[in-house]
Amino acid sequence: MSVDLPQEQLAKLVASFMSYSAGHLPDDVKARLAQMKETENEGFAPDIYNVMEKNMQLAHSLGRPSCQDTGIPQFFARVGSKWPYMDIIEDALIDAVREATAKAPLRPNAVEVFDEVNTGNNIGTHSPWIDWEIVKDSDVLELYFYMAGGGCSLPGFSKVLMPLEGYDGIAKAVFEQMTTYGVNACPPCLVGIGIAGSSEVAAKLSKKALLRQVGSHNPNPKAAEMEKLIEDGLNSIGLGPGGFGGKLSVMGVNIEQASRHPATLAMGMSTACWAHRRAGIRINPDFTYDLFTHKGAVL
Ligand code: SF4
């Protein structure tokens, strides 16, 4: 009997994890959508939430992705310094993307810039995108997988403000973006905001903010207050589910920050759609796992 090598074991596990997360929204997102549905009782909004619910049921029973746009695959890896297979992670993730694209199936979305050719398997230059963090004194590989769809990536941007523009300037930019492009992101959206000293750090933090639990709060009370103010404000613009109008337009607003330069106030914004397919898994050295965003899920 042949035994799979670690790279094959990891690739198979991650491919199953990707396929599962394509068709099953995480627990916190499902709970928030159910809660939001209860708030809507006028116009098209209740029907849109019913369609979303039906969509989730069918994705589960048919074993299909929740949305035809399965996005550009992105991984956020937090690798324990004592996880024994550091060398094979990147190759295993690429193998996993190839396998999941064929089997799930996932829509091939990787278009090579300048050549303007779709690679056909979601693998290309820096695709899958992999973000790395080392976690000291840990032997666990923690992986977040995120499907960066086209519509939900569209409102994303980053820029550096003059510090005098202040936190009001950040809020203003978020509102301008959401009232212009928010409807493309299939609301209700989760809005991630990063604040830092340079645009690339702010942009990255804004995406990491989307990995945070829906309904969680920034531990800094002033940041948490800003999350709440922007959330309440965005909920008053009337986008509603699917952009068809309603009382609520966002699942929440998550802010992440890094120290800034005294002369710069950089901000980044990323949005996730109602089909917020982000999934997290902890993988032990013996390849046992815990899919912590989807309680009780077995791959
Ligand atoms: S924004 Fe989300 S739900 Fe809408 S088409 Fe894109 S991936 Fe699908």
Side-chain angles (χ1 to χ4, degrees), residues 52 55 66-71 107 146-155 182-187 189 271-277:
M52 289 173 182
N55 173 297
S66 310
C67 175
Q68 39 73 38
D69 185 355
T70 50
R107 193 173 84 183
Y146 179 68
M147 295 184 161
C152 51
S153 298
L154 196 68
V183 70
N184 294 93
C186 294
C189 307
T271 40
C273 56
W274 78 270
H276 182 23
R277 288 144 307 162

Side-chain angles (χ1 to χ4, degrees), residues 152-188:
C152 51
S153 298
L154 196 68
F157 79 105
S158 71
K159 67 176 184 176
V160 185
L161 306 179
M162 296 295 278
L164 265 181
E165 292 181 73
Y167 297 89
D168 286 352
I170 294 173
K172 182 167 174 271
V174 169
F175 276 81
E176 277 171 6
Q177 204 71 357
M178 281 301 287
T179 50
T180 309
Y181 296 112
V183 70
N184 294 93
C186 294

Side-chain angles (χ1 to χ4, degrees), residues 190-208:
L190 178 63
V191 178
I193 300 171
I195 305 175
S198 58
S199 62
E200 84 288 0
V201 177
K204 188 164 158 173
L205 287 175
S206 73
K207 180 54 74 75
K208 290 203 169 186

Side-chain angles (χ1 to χ4, degrees), residues 110-285:
V111 174
E112 287 295 7
V113 174
F114 296 119
D115 300 330
E116 295 304 318
V117 170
N118 190 318
T119 64
N121 58 7
N122 280 321
I123 295 164
T125 307
H126 292 303
S127 180
W129 177 260
I130 308 173
D131 179 88
W132 299 97
E133 268 179 58
I134 304 290
V135 182
K136 67 179 180 183
D137 293 331
S138 162
D139 65 353
V140 172
L141 168 63
E142 185 177 292
L143 262 187
Y144 270 103
F145 173 54
Y146 179 68
M147 295 184 161
C152 51
S153 298
L154 196 68
F157 79 105
S158 71
K159 67 176 184 176
V160 185
L161 306 179
M162 296 295 278
L164 265 181
E165 292 181 73
Y167 297 89
D168 286 352
I170 294 173
K172 182 167 174 271
V174 169
F175 276 81
E176 277 171 6
Q177 204 71 357
M178 281 301 287
T179 50
T180 309
Y181 296 112
V183 70
N184 294 93
C186 294
C189 307
L190 178 63
V191 178
I193 300 171
I195 305 175
S198 58
S199 62
E200 84 288 0
V201 177
K204 188 164 158 173
L205 287 175
S206 73
K207 180 54 74 75
K208 290 203 169 186
L210 295 183
L211 305 182
R212 233 178 66 201
Q213 189 96 352
V214 175
S216 63
H217 304 290
N218 189 298
N220 180 307
K222 290 178 184 168
E225 188 187 356
M226 186 167 174
E227 289 176 338
K228 172 86 171 71
L229 288 171
I230 296 179
E231 178 179 338
D232 290 349
L234 289 175
N235 275 333
S236 72
I237 63 178
L239 279 177
F244 286 95
K247 292 177 184 152
L248 300 176
S249 302
V250 293
M251 287 189 267
V253 174
N254 291 351
I255 298 177
E256 292 290 315
Q257 73 271 33
S259 302
R260 66 178 181 86
H261 187 284
T264 59
L265 181 61
M267 65 163 299
M269 174 178 152
S270 296
T271 40
C273 56
W274 78 270
H276 182 23
R277 288 144 307 162
R278 71 107 158 72
I281 190 169
R282 289 191 194 95
I283 305 173
N284 299 309

